[in-house]
Amino acid sequence: MSAPAVPQTPDLIRRADAVLAGTYVRPSVTFVSGSGSRIQTDDGRSFLDMTAGIAVNALGHASPEIAAVLREHADDLIHVSNLFHTRPAVDLAEALVERSFAARVFFANSGAEANEGAVKFARLRGGPERREIVYFEGSFHGRTMGSLAATDRPDYREPFEPLPGGYRRAPWNDPDGLTAVDGRTAAAVVEPVQGEAGVRVPDDAWLAALRRRCDETGALLIFDEVQCGLGRTGTLWAHEQPAVTPDVMTLAKPLAGGLPMGAVLLGDEAASHVRSGSHATTFGGGPLVCRVALKVLETVSRPEFLAGVCAAGDRLRRGLEGLESPSVLEIRGRGLMIGVRVKDPAAVREAAFREELLVVPAGEDVLRFLPALNVTPSDLDEAVSRFGRALRRTEQGAS
Ligand code: PLP
């Protein structure tokens, strides 16, 4: 799609300010088209998108693979409801089960909703004696009330208290965090790589110890792979690298390549407690979104695709390290989930924007690179050089 001839931003901002709820502060720019890791504004600028819609557009903007599925099925059923069987949901569930530890799948519509479902399934299995959900320092599991109750962000939580009870916060990546899990615990929920906290990777040994603690106490282990899952870290599931398998896993962001979708993957034992009527959703698992998700899953799980993610992640990391900037405090992450700790994140992000480079803030001082998983080497190199220029701008005090 080509950009409209007349820039619409000032008028659009005025209209947006009048009608959109004020939950976001957005820059004065309007994106109108995109392709791969490039995204264009209405006034003809081309940004390099290292956000991929916050780890959503796994196959980039205007993916030909996704467009082909949408075109082919535009006249087919879009929604039928979970009252009836449709084939794409079964095809997708089978494909997820085939590629994971899971025995069964519940489809939802977002990450927060998937986590709500996971907590409900864990409590269903735990019964009245095991209600507690243990979550960890730095966690982010979403903004709905139940997911927020497992999210360690006082500023997100406090305006909405009281949150649902029965949630216990525990130290992260710390042996003390393990003892919070006991005979009252329905589940411990953790991100194998924390995203919003600033791309924090726990020690493999700590995740393994958490798995053992859950086994010893009879609690379920839930991995929230909403951000780090589906190829983002270079393996299909982030938990493959520490070689720790959960009982339940939540997915969302990239699952349907940009269409809203979430999923709860349940191991055999966790699934065995689920009964008809115990949880439900109107939209989850509709035929069209499932067809798109199947295409994404089949594409991303190909070994050569995952090898490409690893190579791209290495290239990005090496490029960022090569900048040797005094403003960069640390570079961390796995695959194409890279966090760069910088001295003045707001100024660097603003300078990057001026260089027509989009990055995502996280934690206190981190800027995340979460590009499309099929980002090209030349787009990565260009993103690194724009980031280098942004760092130099801030170092010279000229953001
Ligand atoms: N879990 C994790 C790890 C996330 O990063 C996010 C969103 O950033 C969520 C859950 C919530 O997902 P959603 O915004 O789709 O509700």
Side-chain angles (χ1 to χ4, degrees), residues 134 168 170-171 174-182 184-185 213 217:
V134 173
R168 195 196 311 194
D174 181 328
D176 285 349
L178 307 177
T179 51
V181 178
D182 60 24
R184 291 164 299 174
T185 310
R213 180 75 185 169
T217 58

Side-chain angles (χ1 to χ4, degrees), residues 316-317 319-322 328-333 338-341:
L316 176 56
R317 186 186 274 262
L320 291 167
E321 284 165 357
V328 172
L329 305 171
E330 189 185 353
I331 298 168
R332 61 194 185 201
I338 303 248
V340 185
R341 276 186 63 227

Side-chain angles (χ1 to χ4, degrees), residues 54 109-113 115 140-144 191 193 195-196 224-228 250 252-253 368:
I54 324 183
N109 308 285
S110 69
E113 196 194 330
N115 285 327
F140 182 86
H141 298 294
R143 304 288 201 122
T144 56
E191 299 153 80
V193 178
E196 301 300 304
D224 176 343
E225 294 218 13
V226 165
Q227 185 166 154
C228 62
T250 54
K253 288 175 175 289
R368 273 174 295 176

Side-chain angles (χ1 to χ4, degrees), residues 93-389:
E94 280 177 353
L96 286 165
V97 164
E98 229 168 69
R99 291 165 172 77
S100 72
F101 67 92
R104 290 173 186 273
V105 182
F106 176 88
F107 291 118
N109 308 285
S110 69
E113 196 194 330
N115 285 327
E116 294 279 343
V119 164
K120 285 181 72 178
F121 292 136
R123 285 193 172 166
L124 206 54
R125 178 245 182 202
E129 306 304 321
R130 282 183 180 276
R131 306 310 279 172
E132 213 159 72
I133 304 298
V134 173
Y135 67 99
F136 294 93
E137 178 257 322
S139 62
F140 182 86
H141 298 294
R143 304 288 201 122
T144 56
M145 295 300 266
S147 296
L148 198 52
T151 289
D152 184 31
R153 283 291 300 258
D155 51 333
Y156 292 174
R157 297 165 62 100
E158 275 161 17
F160 306 105
E161 287 171 351
L163 297 175
Y167 286 72
R168 195 196 311 194
R169 178 184 182 277
W172 172 84
N173 201 26
D174 181 328
D176 285 349
L178 307 177
T179 51
V181 178
D182 60 24
R184 291 164 299 174
T185 310
V189 55
V190 70
E191 299 153 80
V193 178
Q194 287 188 337
E196 301 300 304
V199 190
R200 301 201 308 168
V201 186
D203 296 336
D204 292 355
W206 183 76
L207 278 182
L210 181 60
R211 170 73 275 178
R212 281 195 301 279
R213 180 75 185 169
C214 287
D215 290 340
E216 284 157 17
T217 58
L220 291 182
L221 179 59
I222 302 173
F223 280 170
D224 176 343
E225 294 218 13
V226 165
Q227 185 166 154
C228 62
L230 272 161
R232 172 65 47 197
T233 63
T235 42
L236 185 58
W237 314 121
H239 66 255
E240 288 174 58
Q241 291 176 60
V244 178
T245 305
D247 303 296
V248 176
M249 174 168 72
T250 54
L251 302 175
K253 288 175 175 289
L255 182 53
L259 296 180
M261 183 172 220
V264 188
L265 275 63
L266 298 157
D268 221 5
E269 206 267 319
S272 68
H273 298 266
V274 179
R275 295 283 170 269
S276 158
S278 48
H279 192 46
T281 167
T282 296
F283 286 110
L288 185 66
V289 77
C290 284
R291 287 186 199 279
V292 173
L294 184 60
K295 173 55 77 179
V296 172
L297 179 64
E298 285 174 346
T299 305
V300 167
S301 55
R302 287 203 318 264
E304 25 336 334
F305 187 95
L306 291 167
V309 175
C310 293
D314 289 347
R315 187 180 190 100
L316 176 56
R317 186 186 274 262
R318 275 199 315 275
L320 291 167
E321 284 165 357
L323 294 174
E324 291 181 357
S325 162
S327 311
V328 172
L329 305 171
E330 189 185 353
I331 298 168
R332 61 194 185 201
R334 280 192 173 140
L336 282 173
M337 185 169 183
I338 303 248
V340 185
R341 276 186 63 227
V342 290
K343 281 187 186 153
D344 188 348
V348 176
R349 186 178 172 219
E350 168 68 24
F353 192 82
R354 285 170 186 243
E355 295 292 338
E356 300 178 358
L357 171 70
L358 302 180
V359 290
V360 201
E364 273 178 22
D365 55 2
V366 172
L367 296 173
R368 273 174 295 176
F369 284 72
L370 302 167
L373 301 182
N374 58 3
V375 61
T376 62
S378 63
D379 280 348
L380 279 181
D381 295 349
E382 178 62 24
V384 168
S385 69
R386 290 187 194 190
F387 193 65
R389 288 203 295 275

